[in-house]
Amino acid sequence: DRSGAVLAQGKRASDTDLLEEINTQQESVDAYLNGAKPRSSRLTTVNIVASAVAAALTAGPAMGGTSFTEALQRILSLPEQATVWRVLCLGATLSSMVAAVSLSLLKSDDLAAHVAVAEAARTHLRALQIRMKGSEDIPRARGELADIVTSVPFVGNGHRTAKRWGRLLLLGALAAAITTVTILGLLVT
């Protein structure tokens, strides 16, 4: 029957179109995860290390007092003890700023939550793709695909990248201004 063949051909075309849409969405989610997961990991690591450095730079003088700074002055052959304090304070300030900026970037994009949602979407897309190889109902599958895509609105949004870079530049400028003021304060005294 010719009408049955035409319907079967139309179903195969719909299946193929839907599979292509699923593959496209899967590629978008994978691309997002390939960038977001390492970025999240890097920001977390930078935050932990910078916080630890700031704590280490302040722990010595806090626990050892002047005997610690005098010993450090002798070890580093510095002309005066005030220089030791300045270097420790500047290092702690810079480390604290790096920790604050990295945490701010991590939290402002809600990166950890977005990665978790994108990983779940990737799993759902793969499951849908496997079911499509069987006899999945096309309208139901399209509805499920739409639900998955709407669960990850942050995937494939180029404007978020521009917004993030703008925020990063603003934070960098603020950090540079604070550092400049701190260094000028060290030079003047």
Side-chain angles (χ1 to χ4, degrees):
D1 180 32
R2 183 157 161 56
S3 63
V6 169
L7 283 175
Q9 185 179 12
K11 182 183 180 326
R12 280 193 301 275
S14 292
D15 289 356
T16 302
D17 291 345
L18 185 55
L19 279 171
E20 285 177 17
E21 286 181 50
I22 293 169
N23 287 335
T24 299
Q25 291 303 321
Q26 213 168 3
E27 289 170 5
S28 293
V29 169
D30 287 341
Y32 174 80
L33 287 171
N34 287 338
K37 286 172 76 172
R39 183 172 57 250
S40 176
S41 180
R42 277 191 309 271
L43 288 171
T44 300
T45 301
V46 165
N47 179 263
I48 291 168
V49 170
S51 296
V53 168
L57 290 172
T58 56
M63 297 173 90
T66 55
S67 60
F68 172 80
T69 56
E70 287 170 356
L72 200 55
Q73 176 188 1
R74 282 190 304 276
I75 291 169
L76 298 175
S77 301
L78 295 173
E80 54 187 45
Q81 191 177 4
T83 306
V84 173
W85 287 98
R86 288 179 184 141
V87 169
L88 290 173
C89 289
L90 178 61
T93 299
L94 293 175
S95 296
S96 294
M97 286 175 16
V98 168
V101 169
S102 65
L103 182 62
S104 175
L105 290 172
L106 186 64
K107 295 296 181 186
S108 68
D109 288 336
D110 204 9
L111 210 46
H114 284 178
V115 166
V117 171
E119 286 177 333
R122 179 172 56 188
T123 301
H124 291 302
L125 286 166
R126 286 183 180 154
L128 182 59
Q129 187 179 39
I130 290 168
R131 286 196 316 270
M132 283 303 301
K133 292 180 181 175
S135 59
E136 182 71 22
D137 177 28
I138 297 294
R140 187 172 136 227
R142 284 199 186 282
E144 189 174 337
L145 177 60
D147 290 344
I148 295 169
V149 170
T150 57
S151 74
V152 287
F154 47 85
V155 171
N157 286 342
H159 75 288
R160 296 226 4 132
T161 302
K163 198 171 160 184
R164 180 175 37 253
W165 279 109
R167 196 169 43 243
L168 182 61
L169 288 174
L170 178 64
L171 289 171
L174 178 62
I178 291 171
T179 303
T180 302
V181 167
T182 304
I183 290 171
L184 287 174
L186 289 174
L187 294 175
V188 170
T189 56

